[in-house]
Amino acid sequence: MSLNQVGINFVYVLSAALFIFGLKMLSSPATARRGNMISALGMLIAITATLLAQGLDYRWVLAGMLIGSIIGTAGAYFVKMTAMPEMVALFNGFGGLASLLLAWSEYHQNPAMVPVISIIAALSVFIGGVTFTGSMVAFGKLAGKISQQAVVFKGQHLINAGILLAAVGASALFYLTPASLIGYLLFVVIILVALAFGVTSTIPIGGADMPVVISLLNSYSGLAACAAGFVVSNNILIVAGALVGASGIILTRIMCKAMNRSLANVLFSGFGTATAKKPGEEGHKGEIKPASAEDVYYILEAADSVAFVPGYGLAVAQAQHVVKELGDLLEANGTEVVYAIHPVAGRMPGHMNVLLAEANVPYDQLVEMDDINPRMETVDVCVVIGANDVVNPAAVDDDQSPIYGMPIIETFRAKTVIVLKRSMNPGFAGIENALFYGENTRMYFGDAKASIQALVAEFKSGN
Amino acid sequence: MTAVFLVFIFVLTIFLGFELISKVPSTLHTPLMSGSNAISGITLIGALASMQTSHHGFTVFLGTLAVVLATVNVVGGYAVTDRMLAMFKKKDKGGAQ
């Protein structure tokens, strides 16, 4: 029953093809689920073929796989959809750590490595370590266990540069004597330095920039697997790791573009800590016009088209189901309803889409920023729910603003804008939002979920 | 020669990855992340292959830990992606399309 090395490698080619097909089918929501299953099938085949090789220590293999499967399944089925970003960060961190451990165990077993491989082993544990602690910090921030604010301190860049230098230095020395005791100590130093770097490089990044960080860490976890693949010369690790690495890089680029910032700016600037102007300091033209549930009901009731613009506040308030209920009532009333979603709304790429899909909003009602902006003038009412910076007109017309140039959903051009908001506190990046003072804006204060429930009640009693 | 061959695969795959991923709509970015995350659990294959009966002690410990973590990554990643994708439905018709 045991397969030889050539046979196993042929099976790996099949797995790689299935991964590629699976990713290709992710290009449409209609085929995506099957695509994911095909990708999983590729993984299953690769695992099975690997297990058929000779001389494996099955006790530990099976025990490890059993424990891992239980944890993974439990996590996957009990996580709430609103907690998805932290879940992805957590799984991502595990993948990085696994790559680190694999490279370490390979080195521990065969310390006399070929020079090129020793460098890649160092690289593999470094990326794996950064992925692990970086993901844990991202997890902590997303789950609210540590401050979501950008944590900046004096000399941060200097410390990070020092850590990187230490990593490069240790790797260079390690390259010279991998098989000695000093080599082993250096290897451990590289691991520790990597773990530290993951923390110090992620901690200065604020919550609103999390979509970029998660994408980047996703890319790292693929590259870590890839590097581990070079260490154990396994081509399926290289292929799959490179696919994930490429995927993460593309997502990172899309997220940066959606914020009109460079990756370097996201990683190093500690955005949102220094830019905050004190609220009320600037004289705003116009005034705030608060609206009651009844006022909002009359506006919505008379509208022919309504666009909901959700942001992170929707996730916090868990309001996706009531929003869908309100959307259904509006549709029953003859109103055209869409959900306009900014690429960086929420805490990870596509976060809002998943929440609305959970609430049974059909995906053809989810429209992208570039589709809604050209026809914004024809939208009767925009309902902004817990979004702030992604609808801030300062990005279009105030070249002094830190977010100037960032593409936004241009809700201020709609006939009427209703903004659901807890209070007048500035948004995450601490930037004043002129939208709230707009001529055509009504502010509807309160918890997003309770506010929308009140609207639903108005509709039900009105009919 | 093997090293050159592996680098060859690596570079081509990066290009293929760019092509494939840039076609994924933003609606599906979260499932894409968790799905590709599951694929990055491919480390499991390396970890399994490293679990030789001839290995002892600390190597086995590291290998087993790698197997556990990579399995969490693979199983959890695919399961959670499936759970998410099952929710994406077209208008009018119920059931995942």
Side-chain angles (χ1 to χ4, degrees), chain A residues 2-3 58 232 262 277 409 413 417 436:
Chain A
S2 70
L3 277 171
Y58 285 111
V232 298
S262 69
K277 289 175 195 157
I409 297 187
R413 285 170 37 222
V417 186
F436 304 157

Side-chain angles (χ1 to χ4, degrees), chain A residues 203-267:
Chain A
I203 206 102
I205 298 169
D209 289 341
M210 274 302 147
V212 180
V213 178
I214 296 205
S215 311
L216 196 63
L217 288 169
N218 189 36
S219 172
Y220 287 170
S221 75
L223 295 176
C226 202
F230 278 101
V231 175
V232 298
S233 3
N234 189 322
N235 54 24
I236 188 72
L237 263 70
I238 295 173
V239 169
L243 285 174
V244 178
S247 148
I249 291 168
I250 290 210
L251 282 176
T252 309
R253 220 179 58 190
I254 295 174
M255 294 303 119
C256 284
K257 236 173 141 179
M259 297 198 292
N260 189 39
R261 289 164 56 201
S262 69
L263 182 58
N265 181 278
V266 173
L267 295 182

Side-chain angles (χ1 to χ4, degrees), chain A residues 120-135:
Chain A
I120 297 173
L123 192 67
S124 174
V125 292
F126 186 77
I127 305 175
V130 172
T131 310
F132 175 58
T133 48
S135 299

